[in-house]
Amino acid sequence: MLRLIVDWLTFFVLKLDPGSKLGAALNFFIYDSIKILLLLFVLIAVIGFGRSFLPQEKIKAWITQKKGLGNFFASLFGAITPFCSCSSIPIFMSFLKAGVPLGVTFSFLITSPLINEYLVVLMIGFFGWKITLMYVFSGMFIGVVSGIILGKMKLEKYLEKDIVDEGVRGENGLKYKGMMERVIFGLAEAKTIVKKLWFWILIGVGIGAFIHNYVPQQAVQSIIGKTGIFSVPIAVLFGVPMYGGCAAIVPIAVVLFQKGFPLGTALAFMMAVAALSLPEAVMLRRAMKLKLIAIFFGITTLAIIFTGYLFNALQVILV
């Protein structure tokens, strides 16, 4: 329904050409902005409502005591949520506000855009079950290991305290008289966070709309094809600033593979586009300092590069 309304607004009310880059970019911007803002509000309201039943300190203590299992379950939860890198941020923010350890929240944020059910279906159709199964395993592995590494680096000091701590102080001792008070708490929390994030979201989606519609796909394929052994890191570096859901990048990965590119190079490019994007970095800036964003991107990038080389080494077995 939202897609139909946005199409009607863009192409009939504003009378933009659906085949033009401007029309496609504006349509992309309006649709994704509304989708992400609505998702942000609804998810934070629901999670806030649910959190009113669960003492924050007990949740934090349980996950912390589980050590690596906390990262695994966060990564598993990310794998079954059908979100892109930007759409995963609302849940990431809610985890932080709930006191979930930073490394665990990163495990979710990394895995969520890399793996989802419709991606698995697409990959089985294009690549077969062996490559798909290996891809799912590697995506979970990247999320768990990167989250554990980031958690051990004690990077909490680089979080923006106002968005993480606001609304948390005194919440553990707060008692609710009925369901309505819990609903009001969830709605109020969602309103507070959306007011803090909406500007950053619009900037991020605007950058994504430009990249999505104005960066020529043929140029990317041409450059990656001439890089030899360095094709994996270069493919990843090309993918990081781009924006798109992982399922939307599958056809590009298929084309790269069919053109003779190594399997790992094609999949590493797809992973980089899905898990790391410039719009995501812009949105995350509201919650964390630039140094933490750089560390998060750096570790995840290295993990994806390693995975790309691993797929290249195993290509004979998998194909």
Side-chain angles (χ1 to χ4, degrees):
M1 179 61 72
L2 177 59
R3 169 58 69 190
L4 292 175
I5 293 173
V6 173
D7 288 347
W8 173 79
L9 176 64
T10 308
F11 304 130
F12 291 95
V13 176
L14 299 179
K15 299 186 183 303
L16 293 173
D17 181 4
S20 69
K21 291 182 178 180
L22 177 61
L26 186 59
N27 182 271
F28 183 102
F29 174 77
I30 295 174
Y31 177 77
D32 268 42
S33 295
I34 296 174
K35 180 189 73 173
I36 291 174
L37 287 170
L38 285 175
L39 182 68
L40 180 70
F41 187 89
V42 171
L43 284 177
I44 291 178
V46 171
I47 292 173
F49 172 78
R51 189 152 55 85
S52 69
F53 291 93
L54 302 171
Q56 190 176 164
E57 290 303 320
K58 289 185 179 180
I59 298 173
K60 182 178 178 181
W62 186 86
I63 295 178
T64 303
Q65 290 168 2
K66 297 300 179 181
K67 296 182 180 179
L69 280 179
N71 294 88
F72 172 77
F73 286 122
S75 184
L76 182 63
F77 178 59
I80 61 175
T81 53
F83 301 139
C84 66
S85 57
C86 293
S87 299
S88 301
I89 292 176
I91 298 180
F92 173 78
M93 298 289 192
S94 296
F95 280 171
L96 289 178
K97 284 181 67 66
V100 175
L102 182 61
V104 175
T105 64
F106 272 129
S107 287
F108 165 80
L109 185 64
I110 293 168
T111 308
S112 181
L114 280 178
I115 308 171
N116 53 63
E117 61 275 16
Y118 56 82
L119 168 70
V120 170
V121 172
L122 283 173
M123 286 199 66
I124 289 176
F126 283 118
F127 289 108
W129 69 269
K130 286 192 295 184
I131 293 176
T132 302
L133 185 63
M134 187 68 179
Y135 177 88
V136 170
F137 174 79
S138 63
M140 290 279 294
F141 182 80
I142 289 173
V144 172
V145 173
S146 298
I148 291 174
I149 293 173
L150 288 162
K152 289 185 177 295
M153 294 176 71
K154 307 297 181 183
L155 300 169
E156 286 77 8
K157 61 184 177 180
Y158 297 114
L159 292 171
E160 296 290 354
K161 295 299 181 182
D162 66 317
I163 200 162
V164 175
D165 292 342
E166 187 173 290
V168 172
R169 300 183 186 91
E171 184 181 319
N172 293 314
L174 189 61
K175 294 183 179 180
Y176 302 91
K177 296 179 180 178
M179 295 294 290
M180 185 54 64
E181 287 194 3
R182 298 180 189 275
V183 171
I184 292 173
F185 169 75
L187 292 173
E189 186 168 83
K191 181 180 177 181
T192 299
I193 295 181
V194 169
K195 285 175 67 176
K196 289 176 178 290
L197 288 178
W198 71 268
F199 179 71
W200 297 92
I201 288 173
L202 294 183
I203 291 177
V205 175
I207 293 172
F210 176 82
I211 292 173
H212 187 269
N213 292 281
Y214 284 91
V215 175
Q217 174 183 328
Q218 294 81 3
V220 174
Q221 294 177 357
S222 176
I223 294 173
I224 294 176
K226 300 176 182 178
T227 53
I229 193 173
F230 299 105
S231 64
V232 172
I234 291 177
V236 171
L237 293 178
F238 263 103
V240 167
M242 299 182 71
Y243 177 63
C246 200
I249 308 301
V250 170
I252 299 178
V254 172
V255 170
L256 292 173
F257 184 54
Q258 291 175 343
K259 292 289 185 180
F261 290 10
L263 176 64
T265 301
L267 294 182
F269 174 75
M270 185 174 77
M271 284 182 165
V273 174
L276 302 169
S277 68
L278 185 57
E280 178 189 21
V282 172
M283 294 181 196
L284 286 175
R285 178 63 187 89
R286 186 60 189 86
M288 58 185 71
K289 294 179 172 62
L290 290 175
K291 185 170 183 178
L292 179 52
I293 295 175
I295 293 172
F296 161 56
F297 269 54
I299 289 177
T300 308
T301 298
L302 290 175
I304 292 174
I305 290 173
F306 171 79
T307 303
Y309 279 119
L310 178 62
F311 268 98
N312 284 346
L314 298 176
Q315 180 170 332
V316 177
I317 300 174
L318 294 173
V319 177

